[in-house]
Amino acid sequence: MISPTLIREARLRAGLTQAALGMRAGLAQSAIARWESGRVRPSMETVARLVRACGLELRLGLAPPDAEETTLIDQQLRLTPTQRLQQLTRTVRFIQSGRGKVRA
């Protein structure tokens, strides 16, 4: 669900509280909170309206799928949960060792 993320990101970029965004858009703060939490899904028209109220523009378009991303997802799905956890553990250790070297 992308609309909660878009609404919140637009509001934060504009430096607005939920109440301030609601006032600009002529909506209740509680409605903004419900949309940002994902409890209620707004229409695309509402999302665009809220983004505009933040002084931003929402641009939608179609793009071909990213083949590299799809390949990575497929590789991960072929792993067992144990293999994924082991891979994640190795990655975390690698990052932690790099941080240790930076601090030294």
Side-chain angles (χ1 to χ4, degrees), residues 54-100:
C54 292
L56 299 167
E57 180 182 336
L58 180 62
R59 294 184 183 179
L60 298 175
L62 299 174
D66 184 343
E68 183 176 334
E69 185 175 299
T70 304
T71 301
L72 291 173
I73 292 169
D74 289 340
Q75 288 172 352
Q76 290 298 309
L77 290 175
R78 283 200 274 311
L79 298 175
T80 66
T82 301
Q83 290 171 320
R84 284 186 226 150
L85 182 59
Q86 290 169 343
Q87 185 179 48
L88 178 60
T89 302
R90 285 192 303 271
T91 301
V92 168
R93 287 184 183 142
F94 174 77
I95 291 169
Q96 287 173 336
S97 73
R99 285 183 179 166

Side-chain angles (χ1 to χ4, degrees), residues 4 6 8 18-19 23 25 30 35 43 51 53 55 57 66 75-76 81 89 93 97-98 101 103-104:
L6 282 173
R8 180 173 169 77
Q18 290 178 345
M23 287 182 63
S30 59
W35 291 324
S43 67
V51 169
E57 180 182 336
D66 184 343
Q75 288 172 352
Q76 290 298 309
T89 302
R93 287 184 183 142
S97 73
K101 290 177 183 178
R103 290 182 187 142

